[in-house]
């Protein structure tokens, strides 16, 4: 099993929407499919925003 495999295949669409939403929030224009032309900074911004939103969601669930 690869590190990047999706454990719940049904979640793939939701993860894509989540990624697109996070990218929009940080001003990175993602397109469907291949985005290998992004800079490391852009890709990191998207990933960082996703983690930030996941932490906020978890913190809200604790209240």
């Amino acid at each position: 099993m690869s590190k990047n495999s999706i454990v719940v295949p049904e979640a793939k669409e939701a993860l894509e929407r989540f990624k697109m939403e996070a990218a929009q929030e940080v001003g990175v224009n993602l397109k469907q499919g291949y985005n290998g032309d992004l800079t490391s900074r852009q890709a990191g911004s998207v990933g960082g925003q996703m983690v930030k939103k996941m932490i906020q969601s978890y913190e809200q669930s604790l209240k």
Side-chain angles (χ1 to χ4, degrees):
M1 179 190 231
S2 115
K3 285 188 196 178
N4 293 329
S5 65
I6 295 176
V7 177
V8 181
E10 297 80 21
K12 188 171 182 155
E13 284 183 37
L15 286 170
E16 273 302 308
R17 284 193 306 272
F18 182 57
K19 180 171 64 174
M20 293 296 201
E21 181 181 309
Q24 187 175 30
E25 289 173 4
V26 293
V28 175
N29 292 322
L30 288 183
K31 52 191 174 288
Q32 294 291 64
Y34 181 73
N35 283 288
D37 55 341
L38 293 179
T39 65
S40 295
R41 179 182 212 106
Q42 290 171 316
S45 293
V46 174
Q49 183 68 6
M50 291 174 73
V51 170
K52 180 180 175 182
K53 291 172 66 78
M54 286 185 268
I55 291 170
Q56 288 172 342
S57 175
Y58 178 74
E59 288 175 342
Q60 288 296 321
S61 74
L62 295 176
K63 291 183 180 180

